Amino acid sequence: MERKEPPSQREEPVVIPIEDSLDLHSFSPKEVKEVVAEYLFQCSQKGYGEVRIIHGRGTGIQRQIVRSLLTKSPLVNSFTDAPPASGGWGATIVFLKSENSIEN
């Protein structure tokens, strides 16, 4: 006999639109690495050169998680705090490598 999980405990993929910015406020900290990695991959595939990741100001944990991932990602050329009008240190601007520079 199969054991059925209640609907609230099923892990179903969350589909988010791929745009030039991603707001992480609706994700739990344990989801951040996977969400950001997939987001960067999809943005790279769509040809984005620059994206903004909104992690919030809070205690800085989300920011540390995001920046740790960005440092290791082969898709990322560089990153910096967003300008004050775009979130300041509550968001990170990411400059993605071009498709040609990823292959080399």
Side-chain angles (χ1 to χ4, degrees):
M1 175 187 270
E2 281 186 66
R3 188 171 155 204
K4 302 276 184 182
E5 291 183 53
S8 63
Q9 293 181 0
R10 287 188 203 136
E11 289 197 29
E12 295 180 21
V14 176
V15 178
I16 56 172
I18 302 302
E19 300 171 337
D20 64 352
S21 105
L22 172 66
D23 188 343
L24 295 175
H25 285 99
S26 62
F27 297 97
S28 71
K30 68 180 183 177
E31 298 173 310
V32 169
K33 283 184 182 182
E34 186 177 344
V35 168
V36 171
E38 183 63 23
Y39 172 72
L40 294 174
F41 174 76
Q42 294 297 328
C43 286
S44 176
Q45 293 295 302
K46 287 189 170 250
Y48 285 106
E50 177 181 326
V51 295
R52 180 172 62 128
I53 300 175
I54 303 164
H55 39 70
R57 295 183 181 173
T59 61
I61 300 297
Q62 295 276 64
R63 182 177 191 258
Q64 288 174 353
I65 293 169
V66 168
R67 291 192 169 204
S68 173
L69 185 118
L70 296 176
T71 299
K72 298 171 189 167
S73 174
L75 302 172
V76 174
N77 192 33
S78 63
F79 56 90
T80 188
D81 285 343
S86 296
W89 58 273
T92 297
I93 302 295
V94 182
F95 300 96
L96 298 171
K97 293 180 178 176
S98 68
E99 193 172 314
N100 292 336
S101 65
I102 294 170
E103 294 172 0
N104 296 330

